[in-house]
Amino acid sequence: MDTYSLLRQFADSWVLLAMFGFFLGTAVWAFLPSQRSAREDASMIPFREDGATRNCTGACADCKAKALRQNAERTDQ
């Protein structure tokens, strides 16, 4: 048996089994109840800046919320 056939047979059997085991382990780990807070935190990433712009008065010198609000008003028109 040549080297290519040996490596191909090894990749088709054991490496495929190892990758499937890694996939199952990752999927189980991601949906563990202890990971709930991490999932909820990640799901709120798009809305983190909304609270900052809503509560900002735009009075500070380097206010990014004021520029964001102006851009949002321009796109609404």
Side-chain angles (χ1 to χ4, degrees), residues 18-68:
M19 288 191 312
F20 186 68
F22 178 76
F23 169 75
L24 284 179
T26 304
V28 167
W29 177 80
F31 289 104
L32 283 176
S34 63
Q35 299 296 324
R36 178 183 298 260
S37 63
R39 287 193 310 266
E40 289 175 356
D41 185 47
S43 69
M44 297 304 293
I45 287 174
F47 304 110
R48 284 186 184 159
E49 297 296 325
D50 287 349
T53 59
R54 191 177 309 136
N55 298 331
C56 179
T57 59
C60 56
D62 57 344
C63 186
K64 295 177 183 176
K66 187 176 182 180
L68 290 172

